[in-house]
Amino acid sequence: MKVDLTRYTCNHRFSFDQVFGEQASNQEVYERTCAHFMDTVFEGGNAACFAYGQTGSGKTHTMMGNGTEPGLYLLAAHDMFRRRPHEMTLHVSFYEIYGGKLFDLLNSRQKLRALEDAKQSVNIVGLTDHPITTVHDLMNLITAGNELRSAGHTAPTRRGRSCCVASARSAAASGPR
Ligand SMILES: Nc1ncnc2c1ncn2[C@@H]1O[C@H](COP(=O)(O)OP(=O)(O)O)[C@@H](O)[C@H]1O
Ligand SMILES: [Mg+2]
């Protein structure tokens, strides 16, 4: 209803790049949404994938999978190892943003500082970087880091927002790309 009380219908147009039915597998979702991000990643770029939607809409199912079906995280990890060039080593770091502060989840929750350099890019000072050679290594580090998070899964409203940053760099390079 408008301020002068006349009724009106508000129309929105939405566009979607992909639409999936309820029977679509996580593998199918991965292939048609995230798989091409790997091209960007191996060209030195950054890619992000996040799930957004109402509670119960299937975010956790899609990202984490279940006992029988892997989620997008695991599918992406397999793809990353499968596609990496022979000489490239992969390193992972994992930190949590909680109450506006940063903590290294792979270094006993060491407090970190986010500083901007002369090129205006944000650097997380002191963040540790761990070499991984298999998907299993990656998942072990994520599990270990998750255990150091400030609150468990039972307190969703108080839980801090965590990010996992995986950085890939070649063996010859001296720093993360
Ligand atoms: N594509 C799917 N196929 C089968 N079950 C699904 C699918 N998506 C979600 N579910 C189930 O629906 C419920 C809610 O999904 P969930 O991923 O927990 O939602 P969210 O994380 O968005 O709150 C869970 O029991 C989940 O296993
Ligand atoms: Mg969920």
Side-chain angles (χ1 to χ4, degrees), residues 21-26 29 51-66 69:
E22 62 188 302
Q23 301 299 330
S25 65
N26 285 344
V29 174
Y52 173 85
Q54 187 166 343
T55 300
S57 60
K59 301 181 295 294
T60 302
H61 175 90
T62 306
M63 301 304 270
M64 309 305 291
N66 56 34
E69 199 187 355

Side-chain angles (χ1 to χ4, degrees), residues 54-109:
Q54 187 166 343
T55 300
S57 60
K59 301 181 295 294
T60 302
H61 175 90
T62 306
M63 301 304 270
M64 309 305 291
N66 56 34
T68 54
E69 199 187 355
L72 265 53
Y73 283 139
L74 197 55
L75 293 169
H78 278 291
D79 220 10
M80 203 160 72
F81 278 99
R82 193 177 52 79
R83 293 183 51 175
R84 75 169 163 164
H86 205 65
E87 69 286 358
M88 183 180 276
T89 57
L90 297 174
H91 292 249
V92 66
S93 43
F94 190 21
Y95 64 95
E96 177 179 46
I97 305 172
Y98 187 74
K101 299 194 178 78
L102 306 184
F103 301 95
D104 191 341
L105 293 176
L106 300 181
N107 186 23
S108 322
R109 293 186 57 79

Side-chain angles (χ1 to χ4, degrees), residues 110-139:
Q110 191 70 41
K111 218 170 142 198
L112 302 165
R113 288 196 304 159
L115 298 176
E116 205 175 75
D117 64 20
K119 291 181 203 145
Q120 264 96 53
S121 48
V122 174
N123 291 284
I124 299 177
V125 181
L127 183 64
T128 56
D129 204 19
H130 303 258
I132 47 170
T133 52
T134 60
V135 171
H136 191 70
D137 288 348
L138 173 65
M139 292 302 156

